[in-house]
Amino acid sequence: MIIEEFPFAVTPHFAALAGPEKDDPIRRQFQPDPQEGIVHAGDLTDPLGETAYRVFPRLIHQYRDRALLKVTGICAGHCRFCFRRVWITTAVPFISDEELDPICRWLKDHGEVREILLSGGDPLTGSDEDLARLFSALRDARPDILLRLCTRVPVTDPERINAEIISLCKTMKPLRLVVHINHPKELSPESRRLLVSFVEAGIPVHVQTVLLRGINDNAETLAELFRECLNLGLTPYYLFQLDLAPGTGHFRVPLRQGLAIYEELKKLISGLGLPAYAVDLPGGGGKVRLHEGIIAGEKETENGIMLLLKGPDGRLWEYPAG
Ligand code: SF4
């Protein structure tokens, strides 16, 4: 049932990093768990409320200066906490020219969009030809636009990325790589070598991390991860509070506990290695940085106790307290 809803998938490389224990921090990220069958009141099938900002089936325009393109519905492995699990399950193929053409025309007409997030799924699961076609089309349409390539492949399947991909990225600047890494164990020797290759090619590499219960929910593990990243030349960028996707509640660290972990983290690592702790306000409120001052209060609702978070629009948005 759980696997039918969100199929099991892991690369041999990532599986080999996992220890045999059930609570191994790598294993827990890809091994299906019966708790995924639990849907909490307040969980949302579209946790970020992206549908409301959809310009084309694959293009989301929520913030004035940037847009997000769902390049593919395919990932190298399936993270059990993924908030896009519904989209990933459809395994929609890499974007075609027919889908890309109107998006490129739209980008030409919207000079206020200065950055495009290439997301998915994972764009780096595409073939070299597909990636070259995508990058060239976007670059032809908008020579100035910043390409933000969001991927987990450098840690789940580093062998997939060859010298041609790095060269392609190099010719498509301005381009930044944003790599999703959650635990120091993910930084295998192969991944380290690959990430350093991007840095040496002059491609800035940022790291985003999801705060996950039982995996990285302590300051020491996070500090170790971010220290290692810094030493490789990568910039810790975001530490995300989990989105409210159905079947992922067992991964959620209560937000106030997350704030306490973040305070501890500040004592363990310098500003250079400290990412911003942030959450996408459920239902489309946008991304906000988390700190005590953002909590305006609590409210008892039919979905349990909710924290009231101040959104960028001045409205109060609900996020579960527990
Ligand atoms: S790599 Fe990203 S999009 Fe793909 S399953 Fe993992 S979290 Fe979801």
Side-chain angles (χ1 to χ4, degrees), residues 17-32:
L17 298 179
E21 311 81 26
K22 217 173 139 227
D23 61 350
D24 176 87
I26 303 270
R27 180 169 297 282
R28 280 208 63 214
Q29 294 186 58
F30 66 77
Q31 182 106 32

Side-chain angles (χ1 to χ4, degrees), residues 6 29 72-85 87-88 119-122 150-153 156 180 182 208 210:
F6 188 38
Q29 294 186 58
T72 174
I74 296 169
C75 284
H78 289 172
C79 311
R80 305 313 300 179
F81 50 84
C82 180
F83 76 90
R84 288 230 174 88
R85 49 169 50 208
W87 166 253
I88 307 297
S119 182
D122 197 315
C150 306
T151 179
R152 190 146 163 73
V153 166
T156 55
H180 175 171
N182 297 324
Q208 56 187 31
V210 182

